[in-house]
Amino acid sequence: MHDNATDPDERHVATWDDALRLLMDLRDNEFFSFRGQNSHNWKLGIHHPPAVTESDLQDGFTQFQKRCMEFPKPDYINEGQDWRWLFFAQHYRLRTRLLDWTTNPLVALYFAVENILTDRTKLDPDACGTVWALRVRQEDFRSERDLPSNPETQERWIMINPPSITSRLRRQSGKFSYHPPGDDKALDNIERRNKNESLVKVIIGSPNSSPSSLANEIRERL
């Protein structure tokens, strides 16, 4: 691992067995946050493709809230609950300052190779799916009651254990990272905050293997 380094520890896996073994090993070594992305070329941040600006994020969120007012809201969200609104918007796949993570590495692996939510034909044919594994200190996790009332007053990125407000959050063992304005650099481009924090990039494929065939095999096994 690279203590206080900007570069993540990069690994390649060429088979299902390699992927399963490595991800389970990371989980056993206290990497409790995993995120799957379709391309190894994407940065680990809220601005990965398609590109989005600060005004895009705010305008989209405002419009989302206005549209929601036209329909009965779920009983778990009330006026002034800014964090719940963010969780709710993320649930409906709105681009926000949250990134989705999971404690289950197999869930992350699925999202690294899925071809239903993402049109893989628009990706570089040589692009490999990626699972990011993040280890942070316990004090860098926040429950809902530990969060400031206004998300914009949060000064640095944090990990959040959200309430299980939806069945999908429960099924996917979901959690979030929050990236406030002014602190939205990709996580793979910033220094680790302490020696216990580590980031591993698991690339699903190798120079000697076909990313698409391995992705197909993993989807079948999952």
Side-chain angles (χ1 to χ4, degrees):
M1 305 301 174
H2 305 297
D3 293 343
N4 295 322
T6 57
D7 295 331
D9 185 355
E10 189 171 295
R11 318 277 186 90
H12 288 260
V13 293
T15 68
W16 158 260
D17 289 337
D18 288 345
L20 186 63
R21 187 181 305 111
L22 175 56
L23 291 174
M24 294 302 104
D25 182 63
L26 288 170
R27 187 184 65 178
D28 291 344
N29 282 280
E30 299 184 342
F31 284 79
F32 296 141
S33 304
F34 299 87
R35 174 176 170 80
Q37 293 187 170
N38 279 133
S39 173
H40 67 288
N41 294 320
W42 292 355
K43 306 301 290 182
L44 182 58
I46 62 173
H47 297 302
H48 73 72
V52 63
T53 66
E54 177 61 35
S55 60
D56 290 336
L57 291 173
Q58 188 56 52
D59 291 346
F61 186 62
T62 299
Q63 290 301 316
F64 176 81
Q65 287 183 300
K66 288 181 178 179
R67 290 298 305 273
C68 286
M69 295 300 183
E70 300 173 9
F71 306 95
K73 297 190 301 299
D75 56 9
Y76 56 74
I77 185 169
N78 296 308
E79 197 71 29
Q81 291 183 306
D82 293 341
W83 288 102
R84 289 274 176 116
W85 272 110
L86 277 177
F87 303 155
F88 189 47
Q90 188 76 6
H91 171 73
Y92 281 100
R93 305 195 184 284
L94 189 74
R95 294 291 292 275
T96 72
R97 289 194 160 276
L98 298 172
L99 284 181
D100 291 292
W101 296 80
T102 175
T103 58
N104 187 337
L106 297 184
V107 170
L109 183 59
Y110 167 78
F111 283 107
V113 300
E114 61 83 19
N115 61 359
I116 299 175
L117 300 173
T118 300
D119 184 357
R120 299 190 70 86
T121 63
K122 294 181 179 179
L123 295 177
D124 180 336
D126 295 323
C128 302
T130 296
V131 174
W132 294 92
L134 177 66
R135 182 174 64 193
V136 301
R137 297 180 304 182
Q138 187 61 39
E139 54 262 39
D140 286 316
F141 282 84
R142 304 286 178 84
S143 64
E144 186 180 31
R145 66 176 179 272
D146 300 322
L147 297 169
S149 58
N150 183 352
E152 293 188 3
T153 64
Q154 177 63 39
E155 295 183 350
R156 66 171 189 169
W157 77 271
I158 52 172
M159 296 297 297
I160 300 173
N161 288 317
S164 298
I165 58 177
T166 68
S167 60
R168 192 172 75 195
L169 266 176
R170 289 191 295 272
R171 288 196 308 270
Q172 297 178 0
S173 303
K175 59 179 62 179
F176 301 119
S177 58
Y178 174 71
H179 306 266
D183 187 28
D184 58 3
K185 290 182 180 179
L187 293 184
D188 48 319
N189 280 352
I190 62 176
E191 291 187 359
R192 308 281 77 83
R193 291 175 294 190
N194 57 75
K195 65 180 182 179
N196 296 314
E197 188 173 292
S198 298
L199 182 65
V200 177
K201 182 180 183 180
V202 180
I203 298 177
I204 312 302
S206 72
N208 299 319
S209 67
S210 167
S212 60
S213 62
L214 179 55
N216 290 337
E217 179 187 359
I218 290 174
R219 283 196 297 272
E220 290 176 359
R221 288 179 177 270
L222 289 174

